[in-house]
Amino acid sequence: MFEKIKETATSIGPIALIVLLLNWTITPLGDGMTLTFIVSAIFTIVGLALFLLGADIGIIPMGEKAGSALTSKKNLPLLLIAAFVIGFIITIAEPDVQVLTGQVSAVNPAINGTTLLIMIAVGIGFFVSLGLLRTVLQVPIKILYVGFYIVVFILAFVAPREYFAIAFDASGATTGPMTVPFIMALGMGVAAVKSNKDSDSKADNFGLTGLASIGPIVAVLIMGLVTAGKSNVAEAEVVAGQVAETVVTYTNLSRLKEFFSIIPHTILEVAKALLPLVGLLVVFLIFLFKLTLRQIIKICVGLVYAFLGLILFLTGINGGFIPAGTVIGETLGNSGQLWLLVVLGVAFGAIVVCAEPAVWVLTKQVEEISGGAIKRKVLLVALSCGVCIAVGLAMVRVIFGFHIAYILVPVFVIALILTFFCPKMFTAIAFDSGGVASGPMTSSFILSYTLGAATVLGGDPLTDGFGVIALVASAPLIAIQILGLIYSKKGKEK
């Protein structure tokens, strides 16, 4: 637990310190809201630590055992159906997704948050099944990336504009601290059984997260086509005003009590999110694998830790980080010093990616599986460079109001072209990294920072504010593949 607290303090602490520094200098949060933010930071750090501890001792072992057990049964339909169910249930429990859907429905109530959550979960479930099928059949992953991103951009062309940024943001938000460890564990369990011990088999350990993250884009764009015309932009503007009023009320010291008052509702939401996971464990124990009483108790304890951690985490995010991000974005947008929006965006991006827990999980696994050939520090530098540029571009887009497609389409075209030249493992790592780079702080603080700026600058938060998660998720696609080309060139020179 102590190690996890150190890990999450390293993750969330720098952002919290920057917010407090800004509060005492150019963007004051208000009397009382400062205290609320400090308490929320403590909740978020301890909550995420508890959640990650629960994932380590309960959720990840369950994923690994499920992956290997399902593959060992040599029943492909069973594997694919189980993978869909697992992907769906894990996504429902993902804290990043809950934060995103809450923000979307707050900005525009015409987009139902529950429906959006279910569609995202369906997309993840389907593409997790597809990814495991690819591993079993040994299909080159770049073929699937190219093919499905062509489908994505065809759908994006015909879907309503307001769903474009949300769809790509959903892709980044789904691959958070719950989904990434479980999906990677599931994929590694399948890859371990299917490994043919050739030189490319290591690459099969990666790519499933990147492929799964395509699912939410497709699902949300389809949702946009089905519900076209039902979203109400005018209603979104009214809600934006209500959000601003909520932030103002947090400036009173009495709002610390308001902060604690959201805990009962959060407990109910977390219980609904994790209950399917408990049911999944029961089904696994009955039909899939047998565990000792000690192992069952350990997994149950892990689920309890995850439950408590998720309550603290979501309370801290909703009660402190989201209001603080909104206030900072609004204050800088009103100040006239718009260059500061971009500069701070770049700084936030550089810090956030290096601090995301899922990034540390991925980079550690990459270093271990590559036998130390791919260094964690080098990967972190590449990710940091890509993400800080991405957040900076997101703020430029907020200021000038142009469509996010002008950035995302060229990025994905370049990334897909690079798949034909980059080593197989680096391509898989790049697309996995795109998902894990956009974690809890991106889905909450940076998104609210962007929404706050978009609101006061006269833009539509739905089309101008959302999209920053997508940009963060897309940056590593190019950065890591370029790193792969450099490694490949050095290898040939040797």
Side-chain angles (χ1 to χ4, degrees):
M1 183 62 190
F2 179 69
E3 289 300 318
K4 290 298 179 187
I5 288 178
K6 284 203 304 183
E7 182 181 331
T8 55
T10 304
S11 168
I12 296 162
I15 294 293
L17 289 174
I18 290 177
V19 170
L20 290 174
L21 182 63
L22 291 171
N23 169 56
W24 294 322
T25 52
I26 58 175
T27 56
L29 299 178
D31 295 335
M33 192 175 177
T34 305
L35 178 60
T36 302
F37 179 78
I38 293 171
V39 174
S40 76
I42 295 170
F43 268 53
T44 307
I45 289 170
V46 176
L48 191 54
L50 269 172
F51 177 81
L52 291 174
L53 181 61
D56 279 355
I57 68 175
I59 297 169
I60 294 177
M62 193 165 71
E64 290 174 341
K65 291 180 185 299
S68 57
L70 286 167
T71 310
S72 299
K73 286 185 177 294
K74 298 181 179 179
N75 186 331
L76 188 58
L78 174 64
L79 173 65
L80 299 183
I81 292 170
F84 174 84
V85 174
I86 291 169
F88 182 91
I89 290 174
I90 289 297
T91 304
I92 294 293
E94 174 59 61
D96 292 1
V97 180
Q98 294 185 38
V99 171
L100 175 68
T101 54
Q103 297 234 53
V104 171
S105 59
V107 169
N108 189 347
I111 301 177
N112 184 275
T114 302
T115 304
L116 181 61
L117 178 62
I118 291 172
M119 288 299 293
I120 291 171
V122 168
I124 283 285
F126 179 79
F127 273 79
V128 167
S129 295
L130 189 66
L132 294 185
L133 180 62
R134 178 206 76 84
T135 302
V136 171
L137 300 180
Q138 299 291 297
V139 178
I141 198 165
K142 65 184 177 185
I143 293 175
L144 295 181
Y145 284 147
V146 172
F148 280 109
Y149 273 111
I150 289 173
V151 172
V152 161
F153 284 108
I154 291 173
L155 285 172
F157 181 75
V158 297
R161 178 179 175 179
E162 61 266 29
Y163 280 87
F164 186 97
I166 295 171
F168 280 87
D169 275 358
S171 171
T174 48
T175 44
M178 170 72 91
T179 313
V180 169
F182 201 97
I183 288 180
M184 290 191 74
L186 187 65
M188 287 178 180
V190 175
V193 176
K194 292 300 296 181
S195 174
N196 55 12
K197 298 181 181 179
D198 63 16
S199 59
D200 287 333
S201 64
K202 289 180 180 179
D204 288 332
N205 288 284
F206 303 104
L208 181 58
T209 303
L211 191 62
S213 64
I214 299 174
I217 306 177
V218 174
V220 174
L221 290 174
I222 291 173
M223 176 183 170
L225 288 170
V226 173
T227 61
K230 294 182 180 179
S231 60
N232 191 333
V233 175
E235 196 172 3
E237 292 175 356
V238 172
V239 174
Q242 292 173 346
V243 170
E245 288 177 12
T246 303
V247 172
V248 172
T249 61
Y250 266 93
T251 60
N252 296 320
L253 189 60
S254 61
R255 283 310 181 186
L256 189 58
K257 183 186 292 185
E258 189 82 10
F259 171 81
F260 287 106
S261 72
I262 64 177
I263 293 178
H265 175 73
T266 305
I267 291 173
L268 182 62
E269 293 300 310
V270 171
K272 286 194 286 187
L274 288 184
L275 192 60
L277 194 59
V278 175
L280 188 64
L281 172 61
V282 173
V283 172
F284 282 168
L285 290 174
I286 295 173
F287 298 105
L288 192 59
F289 47 66
K290 296 189 181 299
L291 300 176
T292 65
L293 180 61
R294 180 183 176 86
Q295 289 173 316
I296 294 172
I297 291 173
K298 189 174 180 180
I299 289 176
C300 290
V301 170
L303 290 172
V304 171
Y305 283 157
F307 175 72
L308 296 174
L310 206 47
I311 292 169
L312 293 175
F313 173 79
L314 290 175
T315 301
I317 289 295
N318 291 322
F321 277 89
I322 289 177
T326 304
V327 168
I328 292 172
E330 288 178 344
T331 303
L332 290 176
N334 281 323
S335 70
Q337 297 177 308
L338 300 183
W339 60 274
L340 267 176
L341 278 172
V342 180
V343 171
L344 276 176
V346 170
F348 286 143
I351 293 170
V352 162
V353 70
C354 289
E356 290 291 0
V359 169
W360 287 88
V361 171
L362 177 69
T363 53
K364 180 182 178 182
Q365 289 178 329
V366 169
E367 190 172 57
E368 288 175 353
I369 291 173
S370 67
I374 306 172
K375 300 295 183 185
R376 168 185 272 188
K377 289 182 179 179
V378 176
L379 277 172
L380 286 172
V381 169
L383 284 170
S384 182
C385 291
V387 171
C388 71
I389 293 171
V391 179
L393 285 173
M395 301 318 300
V396 170
R397 184 179 75 91
V398 168
I399 293 169
F400 292 100
F402 56 85
H403 198 292
I404 193 173
Y406 291 122
I407 302 175
L408 279 182
V409 173
V411 166
F412 277 98
V413 169
I414 293 170
L416 292 173
I417 291 172
L418 285 173
T419 64
F420 293 97
F421 304 98
C422 182
K424 182 180 176 182
M425 179 179 282
F426 275 93
T427 294
I429 293 170
F431 281 83
D432 277 356
S433 300
V436 302
S438 48
M441 286 297 100
T442 305
S443 301
S444 56
F445 178 77
I446 290 183
L447 177 57
S448 60
Y449 171 69
T450 309
L451 287 170
T455 301
V456 300
L457 290 175
D460 175 11
L462 204 60
T463 54
D464 297 333
F466 288 99
V468 64
I469 301 175
L471 289 172
V472 168
S474 67
L477 305 186
I478 294 177
I480 299 298
Q481 289 195 94
I482 289 174
L483 183 63
L485 293 174
I486 294 170
Y487 267 80
S488 179
K489 185 178 179 181
K490 286 184 176 180
K492 289 177 181 178
E493 290 175 352
K494 289 181 181 179

